[in-house]
Amino acid sequence: MISVFIFLAVDFFNQINMLYGTITEFCTEETCPVMSAGPKYEYHWADGQTVKKPIKCSAPKYIDYLMSWVQDQLDEESLFPSKIGVPFPKNFLAIAKTILKRLFRVYAHIYHQHFKEVVQLSEEAHLNTSFKHFIFFVQEFNLIEKRELAPLQELIDKLTSKDR
Ligand SMILES: *[C@@H]1O[C@H](CO)[C@@H](O)[C@H](O)[C@H]1NC(C)=O
């Protein structure tokens, strides 16, 4: 289970990096001065370690902090040991959940603020497939709290009702 988790987390991280990469020119300090997912949800960056007091910043800055933070976690040998036989830390699941919770926000931002551009770039099917896999995985193992998923709840209901 843990090695599957790591494989998937790295895969989702790469997919989100790529999807967000295609729309970075549309996600700027001017277009997205705050990190949001629709009018009701705004995110302020804090990682709980080096940044304890949440910073209100633009979406590109927030996503840059977020992706760098995830990358650092995935590269952290003590959290994600690459050698066989090295035990996983006790807080592994908690960190894994935080990684997924934060990655979800990038999907939420893209769907709410940049779906038009995603459609223009013909990346729509790609985005949907990626998010669908993400959400199936998260729901299967109950990895993100329901209130965190609220910004995309409608979409999640749509995606999970059709094929189940
Ligand atoms: C992607 O998802 C959106 C939101 O549910 C939907 O409107 C659109 O038709 C989907 N597109 C494809 C190609 O699956």
Side-chain angles (χ1 to χ4, degrees), residues 8-140:
L8 288 171
V10 171
D11 200 35
F12 288 128
F13 172 77
N14 289 333
Q15 286 178 27
I16 293 168
N17 227 352
M18 232 208 71
L19 285 162
Y20 182 68
T22 63
I23 54 134
T24 45
E25 61 177 301
F26 308 106
C27 187
T28 65
E29 302 282 326
E30 288 74 36
T31 60
C32 304
V34 290
M35 173 64 175
S36 61
K40 276 170 33 197
Y41 300 94
E42 190 176 308
Y43 302 110
H44 299 170
W45 177 255
D47 62 14
Q49 289 146 356
T50 55
V51 186
K52 293 213 167 93
K53 193 163 169 270
I55 310 169
K56 190 170 171 172
C57 59
S58 67
K61 270 236 173 64
Y62 185 102
I63 293 173
D64 186 33
Y65 288 138
L66 188 159
M67 295 307 269
S68 308
W69 179 84
V70 173
Q71 179 83 66
D72 287 347
Q73 306 307 303
L74 295 173
D75 287 345
E76 180 61 58
E77 186 69 18
S78 65
L79 289 176
F80 295 90
S82 58
K83 289 190 197 68
I84 293 169
V86 176
F88 286 89
K90 290 212 169 55
N91 59 350
F92 178 83
L93 189 62
I95 291 165
K97 284 179 168 176
T98 307
I99 290 177
L100 292 170
K101 176 179 87 181
R102 291 186 174 157
L103 287 177
F104 170 83
R105 295 175 179 174
V106 185
Y107 283 117
H109 180 73
I110 295 176
Y111 269 111
H112 276 283
Q113 316 302 138
H114 299 292
F115 194 66
K116 199 173 73 228
E117 288 113 4
V118 169
V119 172
Q120 275 165 19
L121 292 163
S122 310
E123 290 284 342
E124 184 193 347
H126 185 187
L127 174 65
N128 285 357
T129 306
S130 171
F131 182 63
K132 195 163 152 178
H133 289 163
F134 179 86
I135 217 65
F136 277 4
F137 174 62
V138 160
Q139 293 198 328
E140 188 71 32

